[in-house]
Amino acid sequence: MKTIKKLIAPAILISCMAFAACEKLPLQKNEKYEPSHYDSNVHMSVVDFMNSRPDMFSGMIDAIEYVDKDPNYKDVKQLYTQSGNTYLLLHNNATTNIEDANSYFSLNKFLDKDPTSPTYNQTVKGSAWSQYPVDRIANMLRYHVLKGAQDFDAIGKGGNKWVDTYALSSTNDSAKVYMMMEPTRDGGLFINNYLNPVIAKLKPRTPDLHATNGVIHVMTRFITQPKRSDIINTK
């Protein structure tokens, strides 16, 4: 018992001394608050940004190169070097990653007609862009380039709106993208958030980045264009 008392007594004394010391500590001085700001500038062009992250954009880079090999679709690659546009850059999960059920390769299956293939005469997921018609991939890439700088500031001031894309033409007048800012304290950008509940929560993985030649919103889902009736019925 004496041993226990000898151990307890110093512990109590130390605790009391520590408590007293804490009470005597002066209040922290009121330092001037220095706000920090998130830098949304990537300090490079859209193309350079994609090339700097092949782990994220190799699928989209390959799609652009595939289309560019055809002289009839040279305009597509040039779109990504222009200034003043908004680019919905597709993460690999949106394009070539067949482990993602919503990727382009996963959703756009085709019949394997190669008699030497182990999956001959079966419906399979994509494994290369060359398995798809060039005009189809070209139009998909054009649809993911929006006209004008559609960043948080522009959408916040202008309100929800349909934005023209470079897939828009006299024969394709519904190639538009609906941009909507969530009216909450936290905010949030939604893409093609109209009518269809399946796409109601489609939003960028990383929004509002600013390249030297345009605005970037990184997407983990590729987007499909609406019907003309969707545009008419969406305010």
Side-chain angles (χ1 to χ4, degrees), residues 59-60 62-63 66 92-110 124-132 136-137 140 222:
M60 192 168 197
D62 289 346
Y66 166 59
N92 287 342
N93 287 346
T95 55
T96 57
N97 182 9
I98 58 174
E99 298 302 319
D100 191 313
N102 292 309
S103 72
Y104 193 93
F105 278 10
S106 292
L107 291 177
N108 292 278
K109 300 177 182 179
F110 60 93
V124 296
K125 296 180 180 180
S127 57
W129 291 111
S130 58
Q131 295 166 330
Y132 303 97
R136 179 176 167 185
I137 303 305
M140 185 269 287
F222 71 92

Side-chain angles (χ1 to χ4, degrees), residues 1-230:
M1 181 64 68
K2 290 182 179 179
T3 302
I4 294 175
K5 288 182 179 179
K6 288 180 180 180
L7 292 173
I8 293 176
I12 294 174
L13 179 60
I14 292 171
S15 298
C16 292
M17 291 173 64
F19 180 75
C22 289
E23 284 189 321
K24 293 178 182 179
L25 283 175
L27 294 175
Q28 184 177 359
K29 293 182 180 180
N30 184 20
E31 299 291 343
K32 183 179 178 182
Y33 172 66
E34 296 291 340
S36 61
H37 298 281
Y38 168 67
D39 185 7
S40 64
N41 293 299
V42 298
H43 305 290
M44 62 183 80
S45 70
V46 172
V47 172
D48 288 341
F49 179 65
M50 284 193 290
N51 287 328
S52 73
R53 294 299 306 271
D55 57 313
M56 292 175 60
F57 303 116
S58 60
M60 192 168 197
I61 293 169
D62 289 346
I64 294 171
E65 292 301 326
Y66 166 59
V67 168
D68 193 57
K69 292 177 182 178
D70 191 317
N72 295 314
Y73 300 98
K74 289 294 184 180
D75 64 292
V76 175
K77 189 174 184 178
Q78 293 172 4
L79 279 178
Y80 290 82
T81 62
Q82 291 180 5
S83 297
N85 296 321
T86 298
Y87 300 87
L88 304 181
L89 296 189
L90 299 178
H91 189 283
N92 287 342
N93 287 346
T95 55
T96 57
N97 182 9
I98 58 174
E99 298 302 319
D100 191 313
N102 292 309
S103 72
Y104 193 93
F105 278 10
S106 292
L107 291 177
N108 292 278
K109 300 177 182 179
F110 60 93
L111 185 66
D112 186 353
K113 298 180 180 180
D114 181 1
T116 64
S117 172
T119 57
Y120 173 61
N121 213 30
Q122 296 179 30
T123 301
V124 296
K125 296 180 180 180
S127 57
W129 291 111
S130 58
Q131 295 166 330
Y132 303 97
V134 179
D135 62 335
R136 179 176 167 185
I137 303 305
N139 196 59
M140 185 269 287
L141 292 170
R142 291 189 189 113
Y143 183 62
H144 285 77
V145 182
L146 284 54
K147 296 182 179 180
Q150 310 300 333
D151 59 6
F152 278 0
D153 186 57
I155 301 168
K157 289 179 180 178
N160 304 339
K161 58 183 177 179
W162 286 100
V163 179
D164 291 350
T165 73
Y166 280 89
L168 192 70
S169 69
S170 58
T171 58
N172 187 14
D173 63 355
S174 63
K176 296 174 179 283
V177 169
Y178 190 63
M179 311 289 284
M180 190 197 90
M181 289 292 291
E182 188 177 37
T184 65
R185 179 179 179 180
D186 296 331
L189 173 64
F190 287 85
I191 307 293
N192 274 4
N193 182 34
Y194 61 88
L195 300 180
N196 189 345
V198 174
I199 61 173
K201 295 183 179 180
L202 184 57
K203 59 192 306 184
R205 175 184 189 267
T206 309
D208 206 46
L209 297 177
H210 292 76
T212 54
N213 66 314
V215 177
I216 294 173
H217 303 299
V218 179
M219 307 292 295
T220 54
R221 292 270 300 277
F222 71 92
I223 57 175
T224 56
Q225 69 181 58
K227 298 176 181 178
R228 189 64 193 173
S229 58
D230 294 329

